[in-house]
Amino acid sequence: MEELKELYQQVILDHNKNPRNFGELPTCNRHAEGHNPLCGDQIEVFILVDEDTGKIEDVRFKGAGCAISKASASIMTTLLKGKTIEEAKELFEQFHKVVTSDPSSNADIINLGKLAVFCGVREFPARVKCASLAWHTMLNALDNHTTTKVSTEQV
Amino acid sequence: MSELEEKILEIRQDFPVLNRLVYGKPLVYLDNAATTQKPKCVISAISDYYLNYNSNIHRGVHRLSQEATDEYEKSRKIIKEFINANKTNEIIFTRGTTEGINLVAHSYVRPRLKEGNEIVITHMEHHSNIVPWQIVCEETGAKLRVVPINDAGELIFEEFEKMFTDKVKFVSVVYVSNSLGTINPIEEITKKAHSQGIPVLVDAAQSIQHIKTDIRKLGCDFMVFSGHKIYGPTGIGILYGKENYLEKMNPYQGGGDMIKSVSFERTIYNDLPYKFEAGTPNIEGAIGLGKAIEYVSQIGFDFITEHESELLKYAQEKLSEIDGLKIIGNAARKASVVSFVLENVHPHDVGTMLDVDGVAVRTGHHCTEPIMRRFGVPATTRASFAFYNTKQEIDILVQSIQKVIKMFS
């Protein structure tokens, strides 16, 4: 069935099987944990921001979850490298729009690039949270400005 | 077609929703442990109440109020007979299992609990039979003790026995595990607890629809269940309590209907069961539940038990043949619930893919996170069967799982 094929596109299946940037980032200055208590999905996002340029130098994630949440996290990490914090937040907004927009309106999904892969999620409202977990965790990490070494900056 | 198949086909006609399509495919409803479908007679009983005699109970002198009161109280009698209770006033209408447990925790256990006392539960409880006890323990300084389970998902009875010391003031135990299907030896547990004067509550949310309940044989002091798990409506449930316990207990909520007289100086509480039914109750729920229980009784537990164990056996056989599939919960005595995990495929992905084939299952931790941790899985996929399910439906489930495995391989 078409909706299912769109949800589990080859890209999603590939990222699920071979997640990119998977594992801890030993030196990072932004970090957050995300948890979906409804399904038990857990994720940690590690980000290294160059404080001078404000750009994301490196980003990794670890955790356990379904294919959608894992692939979403993996794809997210590939999109974030080299982006400024502002750009990362804009990307989050775009992603959010993609997974929560009305499936019947195709007007706003042109020029999505790699985010287009998430269009299939819209057909399955129960799965939007799976796809969003990594992104919310990333946003939280950027906002919290925490490091793995120093916790004094924690807001 | 065999006689059995004909009978099931006939039964399925009683459940209109079973005829619908999901994504263009016939619905295969295997999420009965979450909630069961409703037969036409239950749906009609509810609409009949609203169409013909909607009114409040226990207070009007008019005809409609009398009819509503009669039907509401008739349901109580049906339930009393169904579980073989001694008295009708031992049957309290609640919102469901959760409210029943909270009621007992709050009105019976908490006022009698002191620092250092203990409450015993098991490792296979639903969150609703864990959290209310944690709350009273926190408030009183009492301790929660948990009876462990073995790798098959059965209680380790010797550990149970070891826990029964003078400190234990209450035992609350699930009859059938919602995520493992395990049937617990309630009679033995009750006997053991009673030999030391400890009262027992039985969470019957997952047993009431599968196993013929005889409260006198089980011997427990309290039993709770939800209407919607036994083909009745949501928002209605039952607390059974032995009269001598219920008499001693304080009301759970104050309000209308639970009083005999009220003045600003003094209020006299109503008799049982009304003492525990404050406010206008879920009238249509009670009427619908009565009808559901009449319906189940008519189907009969001889048939239900036989057919459901046949379905369980068939499902476990067929599922075990699938490479990479592991069944979680292999107790010797099980109700028709099968939890499983697939190698390399998360249960949520399984759930979504089965859904598209019209197969409704539950995925997640089933409100039993301690069990998931015990078996080292984040979640499971759970297929749970009712007497209207068929072997053909299990075949569809199996085919659909094979598709999932192929896609993720």
Side-chain angles (χ1 to χ4, degrees), chain A residues 80-144:
Chain A
L80 284 177
K81 278 189 202 177
K83 296 267 192 305
T84 65
I85 291 175
E86 280 317 304
E87 284 166 345
K89 287 182 178 177
E90 269 168 40
L91 202 63
F92 171 88
E93 289 305 324
Q94 266 185 311
F95 163 82
H96 191 68
K97 232 186 232 170
V98 173
V99 292
T100 56
S101 62
D102 184 351
S104 58
S105 73
N106 282 318
D108 54 344
I109 60 162
I110 315 158
N111 301 327
L112 281 178
K114 278 191 176 177
L115 285 178
V117 70
F118 294 111
C119 287
V121 177
R122 301 181 302 175
E123 304 280 348
F124 298 88
R127 304 306 299 276
V128 170
K129 277 188 187 166
C130 306
S132 310
L133 183 62
W135 292 78
H136 281 286
T137 309
M138 176 270 286
L139 200 63
N140 215 14
L142 290 180
D143 285 344
N144 279 344

Side-chain angles (χ1 to χ4, degrees), chain B residues 9 72 80 89 145 214 241 259 295 298 306 340 344 359 370:
Chain B
L9 219 60
Y72 182 81
K80 177 233 162 200
N89 65 8
R145 303 289 306 272
D214 185 337
I259 46 85
Y295 176 81
Q298 196 193 318
E306 200 192 325
F340 61 89
N344 304 326
V359 182

Side-chain angles (χ1 to χ4, degrees), chain A residues 59-92:
Chain A
V59 49
R60 292 176 79 81
F61 81 101
K62 70 170 197 179
C66 62
I68 305 298
S69 76
K70 217 156 119 194
S72 182
S74 173
I75 293 167
M76 178 187 83
T77 60
T78 63
L79 295 176
L80 284 177
K81 278 189 202 177
K83 296 267 192 305
T84 65
I85 291 175
E86 280 317 304
E87 284 166 345
K89 287 182 178 177
E90 269 168 40
L91 202 63
F92 171 88

Side-chain angles (χ1 to χ4, degrees), chain B residues 54-65:
Chain B
N54 170 52
S55 53
N56 212 328
I57 55 165
H58 295 149
R59 42 201 87 163
V61 292
H62 60 81
R63 175 65 189 257
L64 266 57
S65 175

Side-chain angles (χ1 to χ4, degrees), chain B residues 105 108-121 130-146 166-171:
Chain B
Y108 180 75
V109 179
R110 189 175 150 210
R112 290 164 180 80
L113 217 54
K114 291 188 183 70
E115 205 179 329
N117 286 167
E118 291 176 356
I119 294 168
V120 172
I121 60 169
I130 302 173
V131 184
W133 306 116
Q134 286 174 327
I135 293 171
V136 295
C137 284
E138 206 171 291
E139 286 169 348
T140 58
K143 237 181 108 187
L144 193 62
R145 303 289 306 272
V146 183
D166 291 349
K167 289 180 190 166
V168 177
K169 297 299 163 198
F170 202 76
V171 174

